[in-house]
Amino acid sequence: MSITPYRSVLANQAARRVLLLGILLRIPIFGTGVLLMLHVVEQLGRSWGEAGLVSAVVTLAIAVSGPWRGRLLDRHGLRKVVLPSILINGSCWAVAPFVGYWPLLILAGVAGLFVVPIFSIARQSVIAAVPMHERRTALSVDGVGVELAYMSGPAVAVWAGSQWGTAPTLFVLQMLGVLGGIVLWILDPRLREETAGAGEVIDVPRSAWFRPAFIGLCLAAAASTLVLVGSEVSVVAGLREWGQSGSLGLVFAGWGIGSIVGGLVYGALSRGLSPYLLLSGLALVTLPMALADSAVTVAALALLAGLLCAPTITASVEAVSRVVPAVARGEAMGWHGSCMTAGSAMAAPLAGLVIDSRGHQSAIVLVCLAGLLIACVGAASVLVVRRRRSQVALAA
């Protein structure tokens, strides 16, 4: 694997700044979820069900905010969107860790609606900062950054919460996120390529790009997180059933390392792959985890499955950037991110129901087959559209 593409991307100061900020701003987002649940249970003395309700409200709020705030990015630019996030998140989280359950629920939900849309901003800025031929590599680096934040955020948050308490840790974690938002506001990275009408507001009707090709990519994004989160929940249940819950870190480390390696390899390829092909591959390589009977076996299979995690997501983001006009990319990335959130939100209860009735192996099989089905339908629709275009071209 050649590192030359990565050398070029990381030498780009604008791209390097956004990639680093992306990691720093995502760590509080990933770390808050599990820490918030622990806070509700340990600090407030509530049940896990009530903790899950807070988590669900925050997840739903973030999912709703994606397309809405992405559209605001397209129309008003980064600074006018990030400033309310800084003020509202700072105000909410300055109070939320130190109040009772119901005020916490409301404040966390409001903060979720106004979270800094870092996923949309980071991807748009990375795309705008590099030439077309480096886009895949830059998005792969961003995907690796997401993986690093996903792996480190919860671990650091839980460790800090156990040392200094969940309330102070929540406060510090969110204030670091606010600080990152301030730095982002100051830097104000460009969100569009120079040739894409940067600096002027161009209103593109949603009907011009919200079409089957884009919808299919959003469904593929949702399916990818359905497979990932559904299999994660199932593996946790399996380890608990085998009395090997202590090996959970080993399994997730295998998944994360595999995803980072896969993302780096994919970013160095001279040509990208279809997100539907990668989604089907992700489902197929995850499926053997249903046959595992020990933590060591699951960890080895997780390493294999992880190789296609980051590439699948990167390919879908890259495809969205190609089918959507640059001036509407903020809203499109918001929809894409919300679909990924929706897929992960559906995965946990769906897998849980199957685990309760048929066991964790059946849950893995179900989410993998669902992902494979969506990948096949998406790939078939692409072939149909290409055939129709060929026929129209020949007729003309």
Side-chain angles (χ1 to χ4, degrees):
M1 182 185 74
S2 173
I3 65 170
T4 302
Y6 291 102
R7 202 176 279 158
S8 177
V9 168
L10 295 177
N12 184 318
Q13 187 181 47
R16 191 170 63 244
R17 283 178 177 175
V18 173
L19 290 167
L20 180 59
L21 265 177
I23 296 174
L24 296 178
L25 279 166
R26 284 160 174 153
I27 287 176
I29 294 175
F30 288 128
T32 296
V34 63
L35 184 63
L36 192 56
M37 292 187 70
L38 289 174
H39 176 74
V40 171
V41 173
E42 296 179 0
Q43 183 74 20
L44 302 182
R46 296 282 183 151
S47 68
W48 282 103
E50 290 170 308
L53 176 61
V54 176
S55 180
V57 167
V58 173
T59 300
L60 179 62
I62 293 174
V64 169
S65 75
W68 162 52
R69 293 177 65 71
R71 187 167 180 81
L72 292 177
L73 280 173
D74 294 330
R75 290 189 169 188
H76 303 295
L78 184 145
R79 284 187 165 175
K80 290 184 179 179
V81 174
V82 170
L83 183 59
S85 293
I86 295 170
L87 297 176
I88 294 174
N89 269 269
S91 301
C92 287
W93 285 112
V95 177
F98 310 106
V99 297
Y101 178 76
W102 292 109
L104 171 65
L105 182 72
I106 295 170
L107 289 169
V110 172
L113 283 173
F114 287 90
V115 68
V116 175
I118 186 58
F119 288 89
S120 292
I121 290 173
R123 287 163 179 165
Q124 285 183 267
S125 299
V126 165
I127 289 170
V130 300
M132 177 74 77
H133 68 276
E134 292 181 354
R135 182 176 294 181
R136 184 182 313 105
T137 304
L139 288 173
S140 294
V141 176
D142 182 63
V144 169
V146 172
E147 199 64 49
L148 290 173
Y150 178 75
M151 291 170 64
S152 62
V156 171
V158 170
W159 176 82
S162 67
Q163 296 294 314
W164 299 296
T166 55
T169 304
L170 268 173
F171 174 80
V172 172
L173 192 66
Q174 290 300 326
M175 291 308 108
L176 288 174
V178 170
L179 180 61
I182 293 171
V183 174
L184 185 65
W185 184 87
I186 294 171
L187 293 177
D188 191 21
R190 192 172 72 244
L191 298 179
R192 302 173 191 165
E193 301 89 326
E194 293 289 357
T195 57
E200 57 181 294
V201 178
I202 303 174
D203 193 12
V204 176
R206 190 180 288 114
S207 58
W209 55 269
F210 206 105
R211 294 186 172 187
F214 172 71
I215 295 171
L217 292 171
C218 286
L219 290 176
S224 65
T225 52
L226 178 70
V227 172
L228 292 172
V229 176
S231 56
E232 286 176 3
V233 171
S234 303
V235 164
V236 171
L239 291 173
R240 184 178 179 186
E241 180 183 329
W242 302 328
Q244 300 180 26
S245 297
S247 300
L248 189 59
L250 174 66
V251 174
F252 280 97
W255 239 320
I257 292 170
S259 183
I260 290 172
V261 171
L264 291 173
V265 171
Y266 183 73
L269 296 179
S270 58
R271 290 184 59 186
L273 299 173
S274 163
Y276 300 114
L277 177 63
L278 287 167
L279 173 59
S280 62
L282 176 65
L284 290 173
V285 296
T286 304
L287 193 57
M289 297 177 76
L291 303 176
D293 57 2
S294 70
V296 174
T297 308
V298 171
L301 292 172
L303 180 65
L304 176 64
L307 292 173
L308 290 180
C309 290
T312 301
I313 295 171
T314 297
S316 67
V317 172
E318 184 183 13
V320 167
S321 73
R322 294 180 185 277
V323 302
V324 175
V327 292
R329 200 176 281 153
E331 183 179 359
M333 291 297 179
W335 280 108
H336 181 272
S338 293
C339 286
M340 291 183 66
T341 301
S344 61
M346 288 189 299
L350 177 62
L353 288 172
V354 179
I355 290 168
D356 289 336
S357 59
R358 296 184 175 275
H360 74 276
Q361 296 95 336
S362 297
I364 293 174
V365 171
L366 177 65
V367 295
C368 289
L369 290 179
L372 189 60
L373 176 63
I374 292 174
C376 291
V377 171
S381 65
V382 170
L383 291 175
V384 169
V385 170
R386 286 179 179 174
R387 186 174 298 172
R388 287 178 178 174
R389 285 178 179 173
S390 298
Q391 291 174 346
V392 169
L394 290 173

